[in-house]
C-alpha cells in the first residue's frame, strides 16, 4: 500500500516538472518575439517621412511598394487619420486638395475600419464636395485653377469607394441632406468628364439602395438623368448608367410612373434608347430596351413608341443578337405594343425577318422566351381572326410563306407542364383556325397532333377548345375530315363524348363532329399484298407486315388508325390437323374493339385446315365480295393456295367478311370502303347503343342522370343511319314522353328540388325537336299523348309568367293524363269580373265581389244604351282579367296608368335568371316540336295533326306563350309559333300557287322553319339549313329588261349565305354545306365578308363586300348577262360573280346557321331601296305569268319605267351613306307597326299607297268620293260556302253568324238605329269625319259611309279593347276569297267575314258589304269581346261599328279560336305591333294571354269531368 503511494507521488512530481518546463519555454519564446518586433518597429519608426517619400519613388518595385505600405500604415493610424480629416475641412484650398487626395488613396487602397468614424468621414467628404462648388468657401485659393475639379474628383472617388457595397454607409450619406442634391447639381454643371463619370458611379450606387429612391426622385433625379442620356449619347458608359438609373427609379413602388415617363419622352430620350437597342455593348442594349419596356407596359405612354418608325426594325435585329434576358424584354415590348393596335400588328406581320424568327423563339427552350413568343403569336392571331381580307392576309403572314415552321414549333408545347402556356396555345390555335381557307394547310402542318393532345388533358377548358377546334375543322372539307380520322381523331372524339365535363358543350360539339365525320366521302383505301414469302397491308401509306407462314391475324384499330395487335398461328410441324378450331384471343375479347378491321392471311402447309378452323368466326353476307378462285365454297381452300381476308369485327369472335381472295399466285388487292360507314358503325357501337340502353333501362322518373345520353341522342338524330336506330327503339318515345309528363304533372315550381328531372325534360324535348322533322316520327307522336304533355308544359309556363307579370299568386292546376282526375281551377275564373267603376277610376278593390253583379253582368251589358257604354264595360272586364286578385284587401293595379316603372317592379319579383333561361328553353323546344308536328307534307295527315293538336290545346297555349313572353324571347319563338297557329286554324291546305313567287317549302332542308307566307325563314338547329324559291330566272331576257332584283331583311347578323342556286345545288346541312358551297350556287356572306361559289378549300380569293348588322337590307341583283351583285343598305358592293349560265335556271336561295333569321321581299311589297334600282331592273316577282283581268290587259302590265314610284315610300335617310343614320333608322323601324315592318304597307284611309316597283300606278282613295255599296238582302242565298270556306260541317255550314240585331238593334244603338251612333254634331263636323251623304242602292236600306268608329278622344268615343285579337296583312291579290273570323273548338259555330279582293269588298257575317280601297294593301283585324262573346272587325286599325254574335248564344262564352281558309297568310297574333292601337297595351296583351290560359284550363276541367 505504501509503495503505491510513493509511486503516485513520484509520477505527480514528474508531471509538474514537465509542465513547468513547457511553460518556461513558451514564455521565453514570446519574449524573444516581442523583442524582435520592437526592433522592427524601431527600425520603421526610424525611417523618416522624407526618406519614405524618396523610397516610394524608387525604381525598385519591391522597395517602392514597401515604402507605400509604410506610408499607408502610418497615415491610417487613428491620430494621423484624424489629422487628414481635419485638413479636409481647412480653409486652404491647396491643403484640402492634398487631404482629399490622401483620403481618396486611403479609402481606395486600404480596407479601413473606421471604428465608429463612418459618419464623420462621410460628413467631411460631403463638406469638401459642397465647398468645392463654391469658390467663396475658401479663404486661401490655390494657384491651380483645376483644383476645384480635382477636389470634386477625389471626393467623389473617395465617397464611392467608401459606400460601395454597404447600404449602411449609403444610409448615412442620405442623411446628409445636401449630398445627393449637390451631386445632382454637379452632374449638371461640371464640364469635367472625370467628375461626371465619378458622380454617375456614385449616383448609380445610391440608386441601388431602395431607401434612396424617394429622395432621389424628389430631388429631380429622373429629369436630370433623362437629359444626361441625351447629352451623353455616344458615351456608352454614361448612357448605360443613365438608362439603368432611370429604369431603377421608375420601378419605385407607389410611384406615378406615367407622369415621369411623359417627362422622359418629352426630352427625346426614346430616340436614343431606340438607337442603342442595336448597340454592340450588350449592357447598353439591355438597359435601353428595358427603358423602352417601361413605356410599352403602360397603356397611356406606349403611344410614344408608335411614333418611331425604325423601332421595330431595331428590336428585330436586337432579338437575334442578344441573350435570353434581352429577347424576353423585346418580345414583351412587341406584345404590349401590338395589344389593341391593329396598325402596329400589321407592321409586325409585314416584318418578314421577325416572323421567321418567332418559330426560333418558340423552340428556344427558355421558358420566358417561349411564353412571350407565344403571347405575341396569340395577339397576332387575334388580328387575323377577323373574317375579312386583312384577317386572312394576317394569318398567311403569321404562318409564313412555306414550311409552316410556326405550327411545327408549337407542337412540342402541347405536352408542356405549364397549364397557362397550354391554354394560351389552345386559344392561339382557335384564332388560326378561324380562316377556313387555311384549315387544310394547318392540318398538313401538324395542327391535329396539337389538338388531339389537348383533348387528352384533364382540363375542362382545354377539352372545350379541342372539341371546338375539331368541329370547326370538320366543317371545312372532306379532305380535312379524312385527315382527322387518319390522325386518330375518332378515339379523341369518342372519349370527349364519354367524358364527364363541367361544360356540357364539350360533349355536344364532339358528337356533332362525329356526325360530320359520318359523312366523310373520302374512302378508306386498302392495299393488301401476300405471297409465299411475305405479306403486308398498306393503309394511309403505312405498311403493316403479315410475313409469317400459317395464319396471321392483324387487327387495325379504326379509332386510332393504327395496328392494335398482330398474332400468328403456325402448326407446320404437324403432319395432319384434323378438325382444327382456332381460338384467337384478340377476337374473343372484343370489348371496344367491335368495329375494328381484321386482316387475315393464310399460307403454307395446312392452309385448308386453317381456313376451316375459322368456320365459326367468318360470316358472309350479300355485301361480301370475292376474287381469285370463286367457284368453290368460301371456306374451301385447295392445297398450296393462299387466302387473304378483309373483315370487320362485329361481335366477340365474329367477323363480317368484306372481301375474300383465294389464289395459287401472289395476291395483290386494292380495295376501298366508305370511311363514313366505318365511323357511323363505331359511333353506333360505342355511343349510340349504350345511350339507348341507358335510357331504355332506367325509369323516366329515376334520379339517375341521363342528361349526357339525351344530348348525344339529340345530335346523332341528325344522321339518317342513327335516326333509323332510334326508330328501331320501341320504348324511346314512351320514355321521352314520360319525362315530359313528369314535369308537366308536378309543375316547375314543385320541381325546384329536382333539377335533374327538369334537365331530363328539357333533354327529351330537344331530342323530340330533332326527330319530329321526319315524317315517320310526326305520325308516331300524333298517335301518342306527347302533344298533350308538351301543351301542359306550356300551360305551366304561362301560369308562371302571368303570375310574375301580373303579380298574382298562382294556384297550380295539374294537367293530368288520360284517366286522371283533374281538379277545378283556382287561378283564373272562366269569366273575370270586377268592379269596373273602381278600376276605371283607379280605385281600390277592398270588398268581396258582389255575387249579384256577377250574375247580372251580361244582362247589364246587353241593356247598355250606347255602343260606347258597352265598350267601356267590356274594357273593364278585360282589364279585370289581366289584373284581378284573389287576395282580400290587396290593391289592384290601375290599368289606366300602367307604365314602365310598374312593370320593372313586377319583373324584379320574377324567378332567378337560371330559372328563366330554363323556362325559355323549354318553351322554345316545345314550340319547335308542335311546329314540326303541324308541318306535315302529306295532305292526308295534315288534318289529323290539326285535330290532334287542337284537341291537346296547342292553339290556345302557343298563342298565350307568344303574348306573355318577353320581347327578346318573342323574337325567337314568333316564327314557329305563328306558322303553327296559322296551320292549326286553317281549313284548307292547297299547294303553293304558281302565281306567287315565294320560298318553296317543298325544297328546303328538314330543320328550317318557314313562315306561313313563305317569305321568312329561321334556323334553330345546329345544322346549316337551306331553301330555294319556287320560281327561277327565265333562261332568256326580254329586250326591255336589264335584270332582276329582290331584297332580304336581316333579322340577325350571324353566318348567312344569300344568293342564287340551281336545282343541281345539293344541300348538306349536317356537313355545313349550303348555298354557295356547291359549284351550282353562289352567295354573299356579310358576317365573314366573303363570296362563295364552290367548296371552301377551292375558294381561296373570296373576300367581298361589307360586314352586315341586324336590321340591314341586302339587295340581290342579277343582270341578263349572268352577273350577280349585291348591295348592303343601298350601297353597291360591286359584281360578285360574272358570267353565270342563265340557262341553268337560277333560284334566289339562302342558307342560315343556328339561330339566324331573315325575310325576303321579291317585290309584292314595296322595296326599301326601290328608288335606287338600276334602270331596266324589275322585281323578281315579275317572272310569274301576269294575270289578265277585265280591268287590266297584258299590255297594261307595268314595267320598269314605273320603278321610281317607290321613291315616296322609301325613307331617303335609309339610303344615306352615313352608317350611323342608317342604323338609327333601322332601330326605329323595328318599332313600327306590324305591316310596315314587312312591307311599309300601313296607311290611313285617306293615304296614298305606292305599290312596289313595276306595279300599278298608285291610286288615292278618298272616302268622300267612294261609292257606297249595297247591303245584301237577308233573303239572298249568299253563304260562306260560296266564298270557299269549308270549315263548318253539316247543316251549320250555311249559318255564317248574325249581327246582334235581336238584343242590340234598337236598345243597343238607341232610336234611329245606326244613326244613333253619330253624336250630335254640326254638318261641318260630320263632313270632317268623312260621312258624306247617305246613298241608297237598288232600294235597299240606306247605308252610312261612316262605317268606322272614330279614334279615341273624338266624338265617336273610345275604341273597344278586345279580349282576343289578331290581324292579317293582305299585300297582294288572290282569286280566292279570304275568310277570317272565330269559331268554336268543334268548328260547329263561327263568325267570319270574307275579303273578296277582286271586288274590293269585305262581306261581313250579316252579309253586309264594306268597301275597301282598290289595289291597296290592307290590314284586316278580328277581335273578340268576351263577355258577351261578340266579334268585331277592323280595317287598317279602324273598327267597323258592328258586333256579331254566334248562332248559339252560349258559343261565345266557350273556348274559341281563329279560323281562316288560307294557310299562306302572315297573321299577326301579337308578335308585332297591331294597327289597332287598343290591342297594343301591355296589360291588354296579358289579358289576352290570361283568357287563352283560362280557355285551356276550362277545357281540361271539362275533359276531366267527361272522363
Amino acid at each position: 500500500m505504501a509503495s503505491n503511494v510513493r509511486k503516485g507521488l513520484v509520477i505527480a512530481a514528474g508531471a509538474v516538472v514537465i509542465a513547468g518546463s513547457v511553460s518556461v519555454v513558451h514564455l521565453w519564446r514570446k519574449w524573444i518575439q516581442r523583442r524582435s518586433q520592437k526592433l522592427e518597429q524601431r527600425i520603421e519608426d526610424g525611417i523618416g517621412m522624407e526618406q519614405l517619400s524618396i523610397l516610394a519613388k524608387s525604381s525598385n518595385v519591391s522597395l517602392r511598394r514597401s515604402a507605400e505600405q509604410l506610408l499607408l500604415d502610418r497615415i491610417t493610424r487613428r491620430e494621423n487619420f484624424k489629422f487628414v480629416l481635419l485638413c479636409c475641412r481647412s480653409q486652404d484650398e491647396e491643403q484640402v486638395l492634398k487631404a482629399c487626395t490622401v483620403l481618396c488613396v486611403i479609402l481606395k487602397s486600404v480596407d479601413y475600419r473606421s471604428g465608429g468614424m463612418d459618419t464623420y468621414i462621410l460628413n467631411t467628404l460631403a463638406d469638401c464636395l459642397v465647398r468645392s462648388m463654391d469658390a467663396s468657401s475658401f479663404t486661401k485659393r490655390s494657384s491651380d485653377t483645376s483644383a476645384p475639379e480635382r477636389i470634386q474628383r477625389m471626393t467623389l472617388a473617395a465617397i464611392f469607394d467608401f459606400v460601395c457595397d454597404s447600404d449602411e454607409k449609403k444610409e448615412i450619406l442620405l442623411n446628409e441632406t445636401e449630398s445627393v442634391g449637390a451631386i445632382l447639381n454637379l452632374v449638371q454643371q461640371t464640364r469635367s468628364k472625370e467628375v461626371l463619370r465619378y458622380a454617375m458611379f456614385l449616383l448609380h450606387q445610391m440608386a441601388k439602395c431602395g431607401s434612396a429612391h424617394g429622395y432621389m426622385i424628389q430631388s429631380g433625379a429622373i429629369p436630370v438623368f433623362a437629359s444626361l442620356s441625351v447629352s451623353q449619347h455616344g458615351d456608352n458608359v454614361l448612357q448605360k448608367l443613365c438608362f439603368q438609373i432611370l429604369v431603377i427609379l421608375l420601378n419605385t413602388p407607389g410611384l406615378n410612373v406615367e407622369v415621369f415617363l411623359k417627362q422622359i419622352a418629352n426630352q427625346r430620350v426614346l430616340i436614343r434608347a431606340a438607337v442603342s437597342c442595336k448597340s454592340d455593348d450588350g449592357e447598353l442594349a439591355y438597359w435601353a430596351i428595358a427603358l423602352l419596356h417601361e413605356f410599352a407596359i403602360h397603356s397611356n405612354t406606349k403611344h410614344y413608341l408608335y411614333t418611331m418608325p425604325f423601332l421595330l426594325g431595331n428590336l428585330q435585329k436586337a432579338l437575334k443578337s442578344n441573350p435570353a434576358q434581352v429577347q424576353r424584354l423585346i418580345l414583351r415590348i412587341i406584345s404590349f405594343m401590338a395589344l389593341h393596335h391593329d396598325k402596329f400588328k400589321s407592321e409586325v406581320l409585314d416584318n418578314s425577318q421577325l416572323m421567321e424568327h418567332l418559330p426560333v423563339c418558340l423552340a428556344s427552350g427558355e421558358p420566358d422566351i417561349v411564353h412571350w413568343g407565344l403571347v405575341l403569336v396569340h395577339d397576332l392571331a387575334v388580328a387575323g381572326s377577323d373574317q375579312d381580307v386583312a384577317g386572312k392576309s394576317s394569318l398567311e403572314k403569321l404562318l409564313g410563306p412555306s414550311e409552316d415552321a410556326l405550327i411545327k414549333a408549337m407542337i412540342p408545347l402541347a405536352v408542356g407542364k405549364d397549364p397557362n402556356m397550354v391554354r394560351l396555345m389552345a386559344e392561339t390555335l382557335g384564332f388560326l383556325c378561324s380562316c377556313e381557307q387555311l384549315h387544310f394547310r394547318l392540318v398538313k402542318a401538324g395542327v391535329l397532333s396539337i389538338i388531339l393532345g389537348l383533348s387528352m388533358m384533364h382540363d375542362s377548358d382545354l377539352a372545350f377548345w379541342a372539341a371546338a377546334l375539331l368541329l370547326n375543322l370538320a366543317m371545312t372539307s372532306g379532305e380535312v375530315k379524312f385527315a382527322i380520322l387518319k390522325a386518330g381523331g375518332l378515339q379523341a372524339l369518342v372519349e370527349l363524348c364519354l367524358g364527364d365535363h363541367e361544360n356540357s358543350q364539350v360533349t355536344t360539339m364532339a358528337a356533332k363532329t362525329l356526325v360530320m365525320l359520318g359523312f366523310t366521302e373520302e374512302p378508306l383505301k386498302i392495299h393488301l399484298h401476300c405471297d409465299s414469302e411475305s405479306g403486308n397491308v398498306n393503309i394511309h401509306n403505312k405498311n403493316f407486315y403479315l410475313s409469317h407462314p400459317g395464319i396471321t391475324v392483324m387487327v387495325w384499330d379504326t379509332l386510332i388508325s393504327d395496328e392494335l395487335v398482330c398474332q400468328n398461328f403456325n402448326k407446320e410441324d404437324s403432319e395432319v390437323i384434323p378438325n382444327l378450331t382456332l381460338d384467337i384471343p384478340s377476337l374473343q375479347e372484343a370489348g371496344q374493339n367491335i368495329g375494328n378491321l381484321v386482316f387475315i392471311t393464310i399460307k403454307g402447309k395446312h392452309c385448308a385446315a386453317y381456313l376451316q378452323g375459322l368456320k365459326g368466326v367468318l360470316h358472309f353476307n350479300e355485301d361480301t365480295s370475292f376474287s381469285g378462285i370463286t367457284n368453290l365454297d368460301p371456306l374451301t381452300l385447295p392445297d398450296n393456295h393462299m387466302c387473304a381476308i378483309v373483315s370487320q369485327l362485329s361481335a366477340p369472335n365474329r367477323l363480317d367478311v368484306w372481301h375474300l381472295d383465294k389464289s395459287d399466285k401472289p395476291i395483290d388487292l386494292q380495295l376501298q370502303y366508305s370511311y363514313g360507314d366505318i365511323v357511323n358503325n363505331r359511333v353506333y357501337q360505342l355511343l349510340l347503343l349504350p345511350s339507348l340502353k341507358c335510357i331504355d333501362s332506367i325509369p323516366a322518373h329515376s334520379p339517375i342522370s341521363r342528361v349526357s345520353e339525351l344530348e348525344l341522342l339529340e345530335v346523332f338524330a341528325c344522321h339518317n343511319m342513327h335516326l333509323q336506330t332510334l326508330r328501331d327503339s320501341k320504348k324511346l318515345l314512351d320514355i321521352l314522353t314520360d319525362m315530359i309528363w313528369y314535369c308537366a304533372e308536378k309543375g316547375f315550381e314543385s320541381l325546384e328540388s329536382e333539377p335533374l328531372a327538369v334537365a331530363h325534360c328539357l333533354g327529351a324535348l330537344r331530342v323530340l325537336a330533332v326527330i319530329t322533322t321526319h315524317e315517320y316520327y310526326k305520325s308516331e307522336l300524333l298517335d301518342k299523348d306527347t302533344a298533350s304533355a308538351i301543351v301542359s308544359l306550356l300551360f305551366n309556363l304561362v301560369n308562371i309568367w302571368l303570375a310574375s307579370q301580373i303579380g298574382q299568386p298562382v294556384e297550380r292546376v295539374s294537367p293530368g293524363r288520360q284517366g286522371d282526375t283533374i281538379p277545378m281551377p283556382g287561378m283564373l275564373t272562366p269569366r273575370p269580373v270586377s268592379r269596373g267603376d273602381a278600376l276605371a277610376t283607379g280605385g281600390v278593390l277592398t270588398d268581396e265581389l258582389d255575387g249579384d253583379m256577377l250574375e247580372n253582368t251580361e244582362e247589364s251589358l246587353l241593356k247598355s244604351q250606347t255602343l260606347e257604354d258597352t265598350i267601356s264595360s267590356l274594357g273593364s272586364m278585360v282589364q279585370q282579367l289581366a289584373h284581378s286578385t284573389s287576395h282580400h284587401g290587396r290593391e289592384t293595379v290601375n290599368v289606366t296608368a300602367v307604365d314602365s316603372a310598374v312593370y320593372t317592379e313586377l319583373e324584379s319579383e320574377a324567378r332567378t335568371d337560371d330559372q328563366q333561361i330554363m323556362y325559355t328553353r323549354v318553351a322554345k323546344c316545345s314550340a319547335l316540336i308542335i311546329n314540326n308536328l303541324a308541318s306535315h307534307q302529306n295532305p292526308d295527315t295534315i288534318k289529323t295533326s290539326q285535330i290532334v293538336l287542337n284537341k291537346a290545346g296547342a292553339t290556345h297555349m302557343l298563342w298565350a306563350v307568344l303574348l306573355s313572353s318577353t320581347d327578346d324571347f318573342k323574337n325567337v319563338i314568333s316564327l314557329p309559333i305563328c306558322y303553327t297557329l296559322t296551320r292549326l286554324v286553317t281549313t284548307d291546305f292547297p299547294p303553293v300557287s304558281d302565281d306567287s313567287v315565294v320560298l318553296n317549302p317543298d325544297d328546303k332542308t328538314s330543320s328550317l322553319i318557314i313562315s306561313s307566307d313563305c317569305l321568312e325563314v329561321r334556323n334553330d338547329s345546329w345544322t346549316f339549313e337551306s331553301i330555294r324559291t319556287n320560281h327561277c330566272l327565265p333562261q332568256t331576257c326580254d329586250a326591255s329588261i336589264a335584270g332582276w332584283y329582290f331584297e332580304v331583311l336581316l333579322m340577325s347578323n350571324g353566318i348567312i349565305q344569300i344568293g342564287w342556286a340551281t336545282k343541281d345545288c345539293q344541300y348538306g346541312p349536317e356537313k355545313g354545306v349550303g348555298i354557295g358551297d356547291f359549284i351550282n350556287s353562289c352567295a354573299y356572306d356579310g358576317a365573314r365578308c366573303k363570296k362563295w361559289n364552290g367548296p371552301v378549300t377551292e375558294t381561296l380569293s373570296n373576300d367581298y363586300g361589307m360586314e352586315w348588322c341586324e336590321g340591314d337590307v341586302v339587295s340581290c341583283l342579277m343582270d341578263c348577262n349572268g352577273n350577280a351583285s349585291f348591295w348592303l343598305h343601298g350601297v353597291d358592293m360591286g359584281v360578285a360573280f360574272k358570267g353565270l349560265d342563265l340557262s341553268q335556271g337560277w333560284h334566289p336561295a339562302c342558307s342560315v346557321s343556328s339561330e339566324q333569321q331573315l325575310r325576303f321581299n321579291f317585290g309584292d311589297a314595296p322595296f326599301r331601296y326601290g328608288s335606287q334600282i338600276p334602270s331596266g331592273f324589275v322585281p323578281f316577282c315579275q317572272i310569274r305569268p301576269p294575270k289578265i283581268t277585265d280591268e287590266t290587259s297584258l299590255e297594261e302590265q307595268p314595267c320598269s319605267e314605273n320603278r321610281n314610284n317607290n321613291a315616296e315610300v322609301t325613307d331617303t335617310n335609309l339610303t344615306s351613306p352615313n352608317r350611323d343614320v342608317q342604323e338609327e333608322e333601322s332601330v326605329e323601324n323595328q318599332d313600327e307597326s306590324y305591316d310596315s315592318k314587312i312591307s311599309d304597307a300601313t296607311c290611313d284611309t285617306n293615304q296614298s299607297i305606292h305599290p312596289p316597283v313595276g306595279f300599278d300606278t298608285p291610286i288615292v282613295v278618298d272616302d268622300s268620293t267612294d261609292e257606297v255599296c249595297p247591303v245584301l238582302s237577308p233573303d239572298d242565298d249568299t253563304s260562306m260556302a260560296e266564298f270557299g270556306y269549308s270549315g263548318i260541317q253539316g247543316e251549320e255550314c250555311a249559318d255564317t253568324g248574325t249581327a246582334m240585331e235581336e238584343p242590340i238593334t234598337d236598345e243597343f244603338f238607341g232610336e234611329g238605329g245606326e244613326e244613333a251612333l253619330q253624336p250630335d254634331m254640326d254638318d261641318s263636323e260630320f263632313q270632317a269625319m268623312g260621312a258624306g251623304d247617305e246613298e241608297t242602292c237598288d232600294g235597299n236600306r240606306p247605308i252610312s259611309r261612316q262605317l268606322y268608329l272614330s279614334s279615341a278622344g273624338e266624338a265617336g268615343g273610345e275604341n273597344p279593347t278586345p279580349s282576343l285579337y289578331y290581324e292579317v296583312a293582305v299585300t297582294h291579290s288572290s282569286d280566292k276569297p279570304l275568310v277570317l273570323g272565330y269559331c268554336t273548338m268543334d268548328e260547329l259555330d263561327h263568325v267570319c267575314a270574307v275579303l273578296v279582293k277582286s271586288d274590293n269588298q269585305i262581306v261581313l257575317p250579316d252579309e253586309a258589304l264594306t268597301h275597301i280601297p282598290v289595289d291597296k294593301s290592307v290590314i284586316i283585324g278580328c277581335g273578340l269581346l268576351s263577355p258577351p262573346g261578340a266579334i268585331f272587325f277592323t280595317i287598317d286599325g279602324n273598327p267597323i261599328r258592328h258586333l256579331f254574335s254566334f248562332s248559339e248564344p252560349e258559343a261565345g262564352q266557350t273556348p274559341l279560336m281563329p279560323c281562316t281558309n288560307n294557310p299562306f297568310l302572315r297573321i299577326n297574333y301579337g308578335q308585332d305591333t297591331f294597327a289597332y292601337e287598343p290591342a297594343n297595351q301591355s296589360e291588354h296583351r296579358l289579358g289576352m294571354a290570361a283568357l287563352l290560359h283560362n280557355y285551356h284550363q276550362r277545357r281540361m276541367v271539362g275533359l276531366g269531368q267527361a272522363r
Side-chain angles (χ1 to χ4, degrees), residues 1393-1449:
V1394 181
L1395 172 63
V1396 186
K1397 195 70 184 292
S1398 59
D1399 295 333
N1400 304 314
Q1401 293 176 341
I1402 293 180
V1403 182
L1404 298 176
D1406 62 351
E1407 299 183 352
L1409 300 181
T1410 297
H1411 187 78
I1412 61 174
V1414 178
D1415 288 339
K1416 172 185 174 183
S1417 298
V1418 295
I1419 298 176
I1420 310 299
C1422 186
L1424 166 68
L1425 300 179
S1426 177
I1431 307 299
F1432 70 95
F1433 298 91
T1434 66
I1435 299 178
D1436 288 337
N1438 299 305
I1440 300 175
R1441 59 173 61 216
H1442 283 87
L1443 296 177
F1444 302 96
S1445 65
F1446 289 84
S1447 59
E1448 296 294 333

Side-chain angles (χ1 to χ4, degrees), residues 1267-1274 1276 1334-1343 1401 1409:
E1267 294 184 0
V1268 178
C1269 298
V1271 177
L1272 297 180
S1273 169
D1276 290 346
E1334 293 185 355
E1335 299 182 16
T1336 60
C1337 202
D1338 298 333
N1340 291 315
R1341 67 181 176 88
I1343 299 296
Q1401 293 176 341
L1409 300 181

Side-chain angles (χ1 to χ4, degrees), residues 300-361:
N300 292 331
T301 58
K302 65 180 180 180
H303 65 274
Y304 292 109
L305 302 180
Y306 298 132
T307 61
M308 295 182 290
F310 56 87
L311 174 62
L312 184 61
N314 290 355
L315 291 176
Q316 175 264 320
K317 294 176 182 177
L319 185 64
K320 290 184 175 181
S321 58
N322 280 281
Q325 57 181 356
V326 178
Q327 294 184 43
R328 168 184 171 274
L329 286 177
I330 294 174
L331 291 173
R332 281 176 58 92
I333 292 173
I334 299 176
S335 298
F336 281 108
M337 290 181 65
L339 189 64
H340 308 309
H341 199 282
D342 294 338
K343 183 179 179 181
F344 184 77
K345 288 180 182 178
S346 300
E347 294 177 3
V348 174
L349 291 167
D350 290 336
N351 192 316
S352 58
Q353 294 183 352
L354 179 59
M355 292 297 100
E356 291 176 0
H357 193 71
L358 275 181
V360 178
C361 294

